Amino acid sequence: MPICTRLAALAMASAVLLPAPAAMAQGFINILTGGTSGVYYPLGVAIGKIYSDRIPNVKTQVQATKASVENLVLLQQGRGELAFTLGDSLKAAWDGDEEAGFKSKLDKLRAIGAIYPNYIQIVATAESGIKTLADLRGKSLSVGAPKSGTELNSRAILSAAGMTYKDLGKVEYLPFAESVDLMKNRQLNATLQSAGLGVASLKDLSTASQIMVVSVPRAVVDKIGPPFVAATIPANTYTGQDKDVPTAAVINYLVTSSAVSDDLAYQMTRLIFESLPELVNAHAAGKEIKLETAAGGSPVPLHPGAIRFYKEKGLIK
């Protein structure tokens, strides 16, 4: 085949391989969540579907992760467009708190808004004899994945109660579902899970075994201080839990990156608050997401796209 003919054939083949203009313009939203048995993941799946259905030329992906700390690091690295995180982890990331898992200040983080509170839920097997925080001494406790938001919460709660990990019989650094599996098999006494009410892992445990939901007294919460606040796990949240249980709560946030365009961040914010019924269907924690409280209290700046939406709604002047 003559050289000119071969070149023409190659050019035609290349043209076939070139993406269509619409495909070239397609955006991508990677949603960073948490373990599949937690609350972040089902809410993330619901948000992913909302975005893919209603934002033109956008493809979404939902990524299961170790949650707050990992999510924020991935956002800073440009490996995600939307992430769930706990408020205390978000503050630690903005401050560059190395002990919390952040080697430097994560300056690209921008808030979409506050969502629902995470409740500190300490659950023990009934046969462990654990009824109070003090009873955890010498017992085995799963504190969440290493340097996850849950694990940072575990440290804070134990410290305010006058304990460290050294006071425990054994410390397991496990996600929610794995913690529950060990408890079912009588290989673990208790688990601390920082999540929305009715988290699937604890519902599963409470239907399979007798449990004790351990209270976090108001004095312990006050000792930690903001962003922790006193809260209550209502009676019958879990099978066998027939009384309200005092505990602590920390607000969750949806966060994006300064690399995300103002228009996309606006669409992402708008669709969250225009689609609350879908989020409630995905998980009961969605009931606690309120537009009225979304724009306040973030330890990092709001994204300009989010600010535009909140101004339209009269939440920011």
Side-chain angles (χ1 to χ4, degrees), residues 180-195:
V180 163
D181 286 342
L182 285 185
M183 292 176 75
K184 287 180 181 177
N185 294 327
R186 298 182 176 180
Q187 296 174 288
L188 180 70
N189 297 136
T191 178
L192 187 152
Q193 302 196 359
S194 180

Side-chain angles (χ1 to χ4, degrees), residues 170-257:
K170 186 178 182 181
V171 179
E172 296 282 4
Y173 297 88
L174 295 172
F176 296 172
E178 288 86 337
S179 302
V180 163
D181 286 342
L182 285 185
M183 292 176 75
K184 287 180 181 177
N185 294 327
R186 298 182 176 180
Q187 296 174 288
L188 180 70
N189 297 136
T191 178
L192 187 152
Q193 302 196 359
S194 180
L197 292 175
V199 63
S201 53
L202 296 180
K203 278 196 165 184
D204 175 35
L205 177 64
S206 71
T207 56
S209 313
Q210 283 191 308
I211 63 166
M212 170 61 70
V213 182
V214 180
S215 71
V216 179
R218 179 64 180 260
V220 171
V221 182
D222 290 346
K223 188 171 181 181
I224 305 171
F228 288 80
V229 295
T232 300
I233 302 171
N236 303 311
T237 298
Y238 301 106
T239 303
Q241 179 217 338
D242 57 4
K243 296 179 181 177
D244 290 353
V245 177
T247 192
V250 186
I251 298 297
N252 284 287
Y253 289 85
L254 283 171
V255 187
T256 187
S257 158

Side-chain angles (χ1 to χ4, degrees), residues 38-218:
V39 178
Y40 288 174
Y41 188 79
L43 286 179
V45 170
I47 291 170
K49 186 176 188 311
I50 291 163
Y51 288 173
S52 62
D53 288 349
R54 302 180 200 173
I55 304 179
N57 297 320
V58 160
K59 181 179 179 182
T60 61
Q61 173 181 296
V62 180
Q63 183 176 340
T65 68
K66 294 177 183 176
S68 297
V69 176
E70 181 180 14
N71 290 352
L72 297 172
V73 171
L74 289 172
L75 270 186
Q76 179 74 15
Q77 294 172 348
R79 295 166 64 188
E81 285 67 45
L82 185 73
F84 289 79
T85 182
L86 277 165
D88 57 336
S89 298
L90 185 56
K91 183 178 187 304
W94 190 251
D95 293 343
D97 184 341
E98 190 165 356
E99 190 175 335
F102 305 105
K103 295 179 181 178
S104 60
K105 176 184 171 75
L106 304 191
D107 59 357
K108 295 180 182 177
L109 303 180
R110 298 293 183 271
I112 289 292
I115 43 174
Y116 65 92
N118 254 28
Y119 292 77
I120 307 301
Q121 299 170 78
I122 304 173
V123 176
T125 58
E127 64 184 21
S128 70
I130 297 169
K131 295 181 178 179
T132 68
L133 280 178
D135 292 337
L136 290 170
R137 291 181 185 272
K139 301 294 175 68
S140 55
L141 174 70
S142 178
V143 296
K147 292 193 174 176
S148 62
T150 291
E151 202 246 316
L152 296 181
N153 289 174
S154 296
R155 293 188 199 192
I157 295 292
L158 289 173
S159 176
M163 286 183 279
T164 68
Y165 288 169
K166 292 179 181 178
D167 294 303
L168 304 174
K170 186 178 182 181
V171 179
E172 296 282 4
Y173 297 88
L174 295 172
F176 296 172
E178 288 86 337
S179 302
V180 163
D181 286 342
L182 285 185
M183 292 176 75
K184 287 180 181 177
N185 294 327
R186 298 182 176 180
Q187 296 174 288
L188 180 70
N189 297 136
T191 178
L192 187 152
Q193 302 196 359
S194 180
L197 292 175
V199 63
S201 53
L202 296 180
K203 278 196 165 184
D204 175 35
L205 177 64
S206 71
T207 56
S209 313
Q210 283 191 308
I211 63 166
M212 170 61 70
V213 182
V214 180
S215 71
V216 179
R218 179 64 180 260

Side-chain angles (χ1 to χ4, degrees), residues 257-309:
S257 158
S258 57
V260 170
S261 73
D262 290 2
D263 184 60
L264 183 57
Y266 169 81
Q267 296 287 358
M268 287 162 61
T269 309
R270 180 180 64 81
L271 286 170
I272 296 261
F273 294 100
E274 288 183 358
S275 311
L276 292 180
E278 286 111 305
L279 300 188
V280 172
N281 287 338
H283 197 283
K287 293 176 183 176
E288 299 190 67
I289 303 175
K290 310 289 184 187
L291 174 60
E292 297 76 23
T293 55
S298 173
V300 307
L302 287 165
H303 193 288
I307 291 173
R308 175 184 155 197
F309 173 74

